[in-house]
């Protein structure tokens, strides 16, 4: 795959992810206004986090680190019959493992909730609601993991659109069910389960069209399945460590007598906004770039792989740095305009805005790490990212404990950012040592130029936000935010030319060429 094909695939995924993120944002607004950052919002965050952990372990995480590299290799070196034979073996293994996990999860829900949110133990109503919700939505693990497996098959066959749009269905389902049932957990629970069914169901016709015919429980062994298992075990450990970071944040966030009321929900709503640029661009790019890296890694000469890696990192910084600057400059305006109202009161707005500010510091590192991890996965090395993730967990725990007292809930967000930046830098230099130079100086210079342009853009957005349309009405707030974002985007383009950001110059040349065509 050339960079143009990668960019096209990433754009498809990006558009789909944009739709999903917009719907996800609407979902979060509905939840925020119905529940604020109080009992049911916190119960949903904790209950939904547990199946999300398992989804990442045996679902989407397995797709990126193990399924796609091995399946992509099979599309090149083996026949279609062998490819689908492997797909059936993996499906059978997943069905057995996921069914067992789902049953155990429903039984052990009380223990899991107490471990994840020990602060809830002192509040029986919150604890009971969280346990009940966890049990109801645990079958989502089976549904979403099978959907992620389907996505891995289709991505290996260079089909990205349907799997990319599938998550939109979950958000639509939760929105409609939450509005239909109103306050309480019934709407949230039913919305998650229905959404899981839809995400899987929409991909099945495409798989059949591609030639997949399931042969359930007929075969459980395959040489390549062992390869997937070997790649998957370190990834499971790595994902476990990554999710343990989230669990650590939930544990600290549940300690309301230290960080303030609603800490778990505050962290959730702010991090969801951080996920917006990550999902639209960084996740889409890393997902699209992985099949190319996987095939390029098979070549003895890694020049193409290094070129693709450099392209991915520079493109990520070009988007993530200004996104971080904008989120930091407009954090209070964004939260107040988008979430403020009904049960999402002034306290909720101020706490969530401060957390968003500090989360944004590490945004470039979150995105860059995904690109670098894709390169490690393509090289069939899932051990190194696991080791670095383990180190990041320790750093995060130490920083959480140190920063939560002076900064309260915002200290947990700053700890996450500092830990993320540290992990990115270590992975970056390990990869440089392994591959040799992949235009590191060029990447560093590009990073600095984009950083200066982003800081200047952030200042412009902040000044406009503080001096125009200062009103209490929702329309005034929306106009203020919209104008601040618009002026920020225009100023970013201008500052990119001033600081000679080559990515902007390349984008401008591409636009001119398209207009001439």
């Amino acid at each position: 795959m050339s960079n143009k094909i990668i960019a096209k695939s990433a754009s498809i995924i990006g558009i789909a992810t944009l739709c999903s993120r917009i719907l996800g944002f609407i979902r979060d607004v509905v939840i925020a206004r119905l529940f604020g950052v109080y009992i049911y919002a916190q119960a949903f965050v904790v209950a939904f986090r547990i199946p999300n952990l398992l989804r990442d372990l045996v679902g989407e995480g397995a797709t990126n680190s193990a399924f796609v590299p091995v399946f992509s290799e099979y599309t090149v070196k083996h026949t279609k019959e062998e490819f689908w034979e492997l797909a059936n073996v993996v499906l059978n293994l997943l069905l057995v493992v996921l069914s067992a996990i789902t049953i155990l999860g429903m039984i052990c829900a009380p223990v899991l909730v107490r471990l994840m949110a020990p602060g809830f133990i002192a509040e029986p109503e919150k604890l009971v609601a969280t346990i009940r919700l966890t049990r109801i939505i645990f079958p989502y693990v089976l549904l979403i993991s099978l959907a992620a497996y389907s996505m891995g098959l289709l991505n290996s066959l260079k089909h990205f659109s349907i799997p990319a749009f599938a998550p939109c269905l979950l958000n639509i389902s939760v929105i409609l069910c939450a509005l239909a049932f109103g306050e309480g957990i019934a709407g949230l629970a039913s919305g998650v389960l229905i959404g899981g069914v839809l995400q899987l169901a929409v991909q099945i016709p495409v798989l059949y069209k591609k030639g997949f015919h399931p042969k359930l429980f007929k075969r459980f062994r395959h040489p390549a399945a062992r390869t997937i298992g070997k790649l998957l075990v370190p990834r499971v450990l790595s994902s476990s460590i990554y999710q343990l970071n989230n669990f650590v944040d939930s544990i600290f966030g549940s300690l309301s007598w230290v960080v303030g009321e609603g800490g778990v929900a505050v962290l959730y709503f702010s991090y969801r906004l951080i996920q917006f640029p990550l999902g639209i661009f960084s996740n889409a790019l890393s997902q699209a770039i992985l099949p190319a890296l996987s095939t390029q890694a098979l070549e003895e000469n890694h020049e193409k792989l290094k070129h693709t890696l450099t392209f991915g990192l520079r493109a990520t910084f070009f988007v993530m740095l200004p996104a971080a600057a904008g989120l930091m400059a407009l954090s209070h305006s964004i939260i107040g305009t988008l979430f403020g109202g009904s049960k999402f009161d002034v306290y909720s707005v101020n706490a969530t805005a401060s957390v968003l500010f500090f989360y944004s510091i590490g945004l470039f590192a979150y995105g860059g790490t995904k690109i670098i991890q894709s390169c490690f996965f393509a090289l069939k090395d899932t051990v190194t990212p696991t080791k670095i993730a383990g180190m990041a967990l320790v750093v995060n725990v130490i920083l959480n404990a140190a920063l939560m007292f002076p900064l309260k809930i915002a200290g947990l967000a700053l700890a996450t950012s500092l830990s993320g930046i540290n992990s990115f830098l270590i992975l970056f230099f390990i990869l440089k040592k392994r591959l040799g130079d992949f235009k590191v100086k060029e990447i560093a210079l590009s990073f600095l130029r984009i950083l200066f342009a982003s800081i200047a853009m952030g200042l412009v957005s902040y000044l406009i936000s503080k001096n125009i349309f200062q009103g209490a009405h929702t329309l005034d707030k929306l106009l203020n935010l919209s104008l601040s974002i618009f002026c920020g985007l225009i100023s970013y383009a201008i500052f990119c030319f001033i600081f000679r950001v080559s990515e902007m110059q390349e984008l401008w040349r591409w636009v001119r060429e398209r207009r001439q065509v």
Side-chain angles (χ1 to χ4, degrees):
M1 291 173 70
S2 67
N3 288 343
K4 289 184 178 180
I5 297 175
I6 292 171
K8 183 179 179 181
S9 300
S11 66
I12 293 172
I13 299 170
I15 292 170
T17 307
L18 175 60
C19 295
S20 178
R21 295 295 174 182
I22 291 173
L23 289 167
F25 163 72
I26 295 172
R27 179 195 75 188
D28 292 337
V29 169
V30 170
I31 294 172
R33 298 205 171 191
L34 282 174
F35 308 111
V37 296
Y38 304 106
I39 291 179
Y40 289 119
Q42 294 181 67
F44 174 74
V45 170
V46 173
F48 197 50
R49 182 161 286 169
I50 295 172
N52 267 338
L53 159 68
L54 297 171
R55 178 201 68 183
D56 190 58
L57 296 183
V58 295
E60 293 178 358
T63 296
N64 290 332
S65 64
F67 292 166
V68 171
V70 174
F71 285 141
S72 295
E73 182 178 345
Y74 256 66
T75 62
V76 175
K77 296 184 176 181
H78 298 269
T79 64
K80 287 185 178 181
E81 290 75 16
E82 291 174 315
F83 176 87
W84 293 120
E85 183 180 352
L86 171 61
N88 268 298
V89 171
V90 174
L91 174 61
N92 291 332
L93 291 171
L94 280 177
L95 284 171
V96 172
V97 172
L98 293 170
S99 298
I101 289 174
T102 300
I103 294 170
L104 286 173
M106 295 173 71
I107 295 171
C108 299
V111 177
L112 293 173
V113 171
R114 285 179 170 87
L115 288 174
M116 272 194 61
F120 288 9
I121 296 174
E123 303 176 66
E125 183 181 357
K126 190 185 297 184
L127 180 66
V128 170
T130 308
I131 292 172
R132 184 184 173 199
L133 187 57
T134 301
R135 278 181 165 151
I136 295 172
I137 68 176
F138 221 94
Y140 175 76
V141 173
L142 174 63
L143 297 169
I144 196 60
S145 297
L146 291 176
Y149 158 81
S150 302
M151 178 184 72
L153 285 178
L154 293 174
N155 286 355
S156 301
L157 296 169
K158 307 298 187 295
H159 184 98
F160 298 98
S161 56
I162 297 298
F165 278 100
C168 295
L169 301 174
L170 170 67
N171 294 322
I172 292 172
S173 175
V174 174
I175 291 167
L176 294 178
C177 290
L179 291 174
F181 286 91
E183 296 185 21
I185 62 175
L188 297 174
S190 57
V192 169
L193 291 178
I194 294 171
V197 171
L198 293 175
Q199 285 187 81
L200 174 61
V202 75
Q203 298 183 73
I204 292 175
V206 185
L207 284 171
Y208 269 96
K209 188 176 180 180
K210 293 288 184 179
F212 183 45
H213 298 287
K215 300 174 182 178
L216 299 181
F217 308 116
K218 290 187 176 181
R219 185 179 174 187
F220 293 89
R221 292 184 179 182
H222 192 285
R226 293 194 187 96
T227 303
I228 290 175
K230 291 178 181 178
L231 293 173
L232 185 56
V233 169
R235 171 58 181 174
V236 167
L237 294 174
S238 177
S239 295
S240 297
I241 295 169
Y242 169 77
Q243 291 293 346
L244 277 174
N245 268 308
N246 291 333
F247 286 175
V248 165
D249 289 345
S250 292
I251 291 170
F252 282 103
S254 70
L255 306 176
S256 58
W257 57 90
V258 179
V259 301
E261 178 60 32
V264 172
V266 166
L267 290 171
Y268 170 79
F269 288 124
S270 55
Y271 198 68
R272 287 288 298 169
L273 286 172
I274 289 295
Q275 288 292 324
F276 204 87
L278 282 175
I280 293 171
F281 185 82
S282 183
N283 290 357
L285 180 60
S286 63
Q287 187 177 340
I289 213 172
L290 180 59
L293 291 172
S294 298
T295 53
Q296 290 166 359
L298 299 174
E299 302 173 2
E300 292 185 8
N301 188 335
H302 283 159
E303 288 305 312
K304 290 183 180 179
L305 181 141
K306 289 192 284 187
H307 180 72
T308 302
L309 174 63
T310 301
F311 164 78
L313 288 174
R314 290 177 59 188
T316 297
F317 296 149
F318 181 64
V319 175
M320 292 299 110
L321 285 172
L327 288 170
M328 294 172 73
L330 302 174
S331 57
H332 197 278
S333 178
I334 290 171
I335 298 299
T337 302
L338 302 181
F339 291 112
S342 190
K343 290 191 176 181
F344 206 89
D345 51 22
V346 174
Y347 166 79
S348 302
V349 170
N350 291 335
T352 308
S354 67
V355 170
L356 176 60
F357 180 92
F358 285 106
Y359 265 147
S360 301
I361 293 173
L363 185 57
F364 80 92
Y366 310 148
T369 298
K370 289 185 176 295
I371 300 298
I372 292 179
Q373 284 180 337
S374 292
C375 190
F376 277 106
F377 297 154
L379 294 168
K380 297 183 179 178
D381 178 6
T382 53
V383 174
T384 300
T386 301
K387 292 179 179 178
I388 303 307
M391 180 209 65
L393 173 62
V394 175
V395 172
N396 193 38
V397 170
I398 294 171
L399 291 175
N400 273 337
L403 296 174
M404 73 175 182
F405 290 99
L407 296 176
K408 296 190 179 298
I409 193 67
L412 305 185
L414 179 57
T416 299
S417 290
L418 295 176
S419 176
I421 293 170
N422 184 55
S423 298
F424 166 75
L425 291 175
I426 292 174
L427 285 169
F428 182 88
F429 286 109
I430 289 175
L431 199 57
K432 178 181 179 296
K433 184 177 180 180
R434 179 172 302 181
L435 294 178
D437 183 59
F438 47 87
K439 299 182 179 178
V440 172
K441 291 183 179 179
E442 182 180 319
I443 293 172
L445 181 61
S446 174
F447 178 90
L448 290 174
R449 287 177 172 172
I450 295 170
L451 178 62
F452 293 143
S454 299
I455 292 172
M457 179 215 73
L459 290 173
V460 170
S461 298
Y462 178 80
L463 291 173
I464 290 174
S465 177
K466 291 299 179 183
N467 291 283
I468 297 179
F469 296 124
Q470 290 294 318
H473 296 294
T474 302
L475 182 59
D476 290 335
K477 292 179 181 179
L478 188 59
L479 286 172
N480 180 297
L481 181 60
S482 299
L483 185 60
S484 300
I485 293 173
F486 176 76
C487 292
L489 291 172
I490 298 300
S491 66
Y492 177 61
I494 294 171
F495 286 123
C496 279
F497 283 110
I498 292 174
F499 289 105
R500 293 183 298 169
V501 175
S502 59
E503 288 78 9
M504 178 60 76
Q505 294 169 352
E506 292 171 8
L507 178 62
W508 180 248
R509 282 196 296 269
W510 180 81
V511 171
R512 291 179 63 183
E513 289 173 0
R514 298 287 292 181
R515 289 182 63 183
Q516 290 175 359
V517 173

